[in-house]
Coordinates of all heavy atoms in Angstrom, one line a residue:
Q12 N -5.0 13.0 -9.6 CA -3.9 12.1 -9.3 C -3.4 11.5 -10.6 O -4.3 11.2 -11.4 CB -4.3 11.0 -8.3 CG -4.9 11.5 -7.0 CD -3.8 12.1 -6.1 OE1 -2.7 11.7 -6.1 NE2 -4.3 12.9 -5.1
L13 N -2.2 11.2 -10.8 CA -1.7 10.5 -12.0 C -0.6 9.5 -11.6 O 0.4 9.8 -10.9 CB -1.0 11.5 -13.0 CG -0.5 11.0 -14.2 CD1 -1.5 10.3 -15.1 CD2 0.2 12.0 -15.0
F14 N -0.9 8.3 -12.0 CA 0.0 7.1 -11.7 C 0.5 6.6 -13.0 O -0.3 6.4 -13.9 CB -0.7 6.0 -10.9 CG -1.3 6.5 -9.6 CD1 -2.6 7.0 -9.6 CD2 -0.6 6.5 -8.5 CE1 -3.1 7.5 -8.4 CE2 -1.1 7.0 -7.3 CZ -2.4 7.5 -7.3
K15 N 1.8 6.4 -13.2 CA 2.3 5.8 -14.4 C 3.2 4.6 -14.1 O 3.9 4.6 -13.1 CB 3.2 6.8 -15.2 CG 2.4 8.0 -15.7 CD 3.3 8.9 -16.5 CE 2.5 10.0 -17.1 NZ 3.4 10.9 -17.9
F16 N 3.1 3.6 -14.9 CA 4.0 2.4 -14.7 C 4.1 1.6 -16.0 O 3.3 1.8 -17.0 CB 3.4 1.5 -13.6 CG 2.0 1.0 -13.8 CD1 1.8 -0.2 -14.4 CD2 1.0 1.8 -13.4 CE1 0.4 -0.7 -14.5 CE2 -0.3 1.4 -13.5 CZ -0.6 0.1 -14.1
L27 N -3.7 -5.1 -11.7 CA -2.7 -4.0 -12.0 C -2.7 -2.9 -10.9 O -1.7 -2.6 -10.4 CB -2.9 -3.4 -13.4 CG -2.7 -4.4 -14.6 CD1 -3.1 -3.7 -15.8 CD2 -1.3 -4.8 -14.6
F28 N -3.9 -2.4 -10.6 CA -4.0 -1.2 -9.8 C -5.3 -1.2 -9.0 O -6.3 -1.6 -9.5 CB -3.9 0.0 -10.7 CG -4.0 1.4 -10.0 CD1 -2.9 2.0 -9.6 CD2 -5.2 2.0 -9.9 CE1 -2.9 3.2 -8.9 CE2 -5.3 3.2 -9.2 CZ -4.1 3.8 -8.8
T30 N -7.3 1.4 -5.9 CA -7.4 2.6 -5.0 C -8.7 2.6 -4.3 O -9.7 2.2 -4.9 CB -7.0 3.9 -5.7 OG1 -6.9 4.9 -4.7 CG2 -8.1 4.3 -6.7
F37 N -11.8 1.8 -7.0 CA -11.5 1.6 -8.4 C -10.4 0.6 -8.5 O -9.5 0.6 -7.8 CB -11.1 2.9 -9.2 CG -12.2 3.8 -9.6 CD1 -12.5 4.9 -8.9 CD2 -13.0 3.5 -10.7 CE1 -13.5 5.8 -9.2 CE2 -14.1 4.3 -11.0 CZ -14.3 5.5 -10.3
V39 N -8.0 -1.8 -11.7 CA -7.7 -2.0 -13.1 C -7.0 -3.4 -13.1 O -6.1 -3.6 -12.4 CB -6.7 -0.9 -13.6 CG1 -6.3 -1.2 -15.0 CG2 -7.3 0.5 -13.4
L48 N -11.7 -1.8 -16.1 CA -11.8 -0.8 -15.1 C -13.1 -1.1 -14.3 O -14.2 -1.0 -14.9 CB -11.8 0.6 -15.7 CG -12.1 1.8 -14.8 CD1 -11.1 1.9 -13.6 CD2 -12.1 3.1 -15.6
F72 N 1.4 2.2 -18.9 CA 0.0 2.5 -18.5 C 0.1 3.9 -17.7 O 1.1 4.2 -17.1 CB -0.5 1.5 -17.5 CG -0.8 0.2 -18.1 CD1 0.1 -0.8 -18.1 CD2 -2.1 -0.1 -18.6 CE1 -0.2 -2.1 -18.7 CE2 -2.4 -1.3 -19.1 CZ -1.4 -2.3 -19.2
A73 N -1.0 4.6 -17.8 CA -1.2 5.9 -17.0 C -2.6 5.8 -16.5 O -3.6 5.6 -17.2 CB -1.0 7.1 -17.9
V74 N -2.7 6.0 -15.2 CA -4.0 6.0 -14.5 C -4.2 7.4 -14.0 O -3.4 7.8 -13.1 CB -4.1 4.9 -13.3 CG1 -5.4 5.0 -12.6 CG2 -3.8 3.5 -13.9
S75 N -5.2 8.1 -14.5 CA -5.5 9.4 -14.1 C -6.8 9.5 -13.3 O -7.8 8.9 -13.8 CB -5.6 10.3 -15.4 OG -6.0 11.6 -15.1
I76 N -6.8 10.1 -12.2 CA -8.0 10.3 -11.4 C -8.3 11.8 -11.2 O -7.5 12.5 -10.6 CB -7.8 9.6 -10.0 CG1 -7.4 8.2 -10.1 CG2 -9.1 9.7 -9.2 CD1 -7.0 7.5 -8.8
R79 N -12.8 12.3 -14.2 CA -13.0 11.0 -14.8 C -11.9 10.1 -14.3 O -10.8 10.6 -14.0 CB -13.0 11.0 -16.3 CG -14.2 11.8 -16.8 CD -14.4 11.6 -18.3 NE -14.6 10.3 -18.8 CZ -15.7 9.6 -18.7 NH1 -16.7 10.1 -18.1 NH2 -15.8 8.4 -19.2
F80 N -12.1 8.8 -14.2 CA -11.1 7.9 -13.9 C -10.6 7.3 -15.3 O -11.4 6.6 -15.9 CB -11.6 6.7 -13.0 CG -10.6 5.9 -12.4 CD1 -10.3 6.1 -11.0 CD2 -9.9 5.0 -13.1 CE1 -9.3 5.3 -10.4 CE2 -8.9 4.2 -12.5 CZ -8.6 4.4 -11.1
V81 N -9.4 7.6 -15.7 CA -9.0 7.3 -17.1 C -7.8 6.4 -17.0 O -6.8 6.6 -16.3 CB -8.6 8.5 -17.9 CG1 -8.1 8.2 -19.3 CG2 -9.8 9.5 -17.9
V82 N -7.8 5.3 -17.8 CA -6.6 4.4 -17.9 C -6.2 4.4 -19.3 O -6.9 4.0 -20.2 CB -7.0 2.9 -17.5 CG1 -5.8 2.0 -17.6 CG2 -7.6 2.9 -16.1
R83 N -4.9 4.9 -19.5 CA -4.3 5.0 -20.8 C -3.4 3.8 -21.0 O -2.6 3.6 -20.1 CB -3.6 6.3 -21.0 CG -4.5 7.5 -21.1 CD -3.8 8.8 -21.4 NE -4.7 9.9 -21.5 CZ -5.2 10.5 -20.4 NH1 -4.8 10.2 -19.2 NH2 -6.0 11.5 -20.6
M103 N -0.5 -1.9 -6.0 CA -0.1 -2.4 -7.3 C 0.1 -3.9 -7.3 O 0.7 -4.4 -6.4 CB 1.3 -1.7 -7.7 CG 1.2 -0.2 -7.9 SD 0.4 0.3 -9.3 CE 1.3 -0.5 -10.6
T129 N 5.5 5.9 -11.1 CA 5.4 7.2 -10.5 C 4.0 7.5 -10.0 O 3.0 7.0 -10.6 CB 5.9 8.3 -11.5 OG1 4.9 8.3 -12.6 CG2 7.3 8.1 -12.0
N131 N 2.0 11.1 -9.3 CA 2.1 12.5 -9.5 C 3.5 13.0 -9.8 O 4.0 13.9 -9.2 CB 1.5 13.2 -8.2 CG 0.1 12.8 -8.0 OD1 -0.7 12.6 -8.9 ND2 -0.2 12.5 -6.7

Side-chain angles (χ1 to χ4, degrees):
Q12 304 285 338
L13 178 62
F14 304 90
K15 292 182 179 181
F16 56 97
L27 296 174
F28 180 86
T30 189
F37 278 103
V39 178
L48 170 59
F72 290 92
V74 177
S75 173
I76 306 169
R79 295 191 58 74
F80 195 105
V81 180
V82 181
R83 289 184 182 84
M103 295 289 300
T129 62
N131 302 320

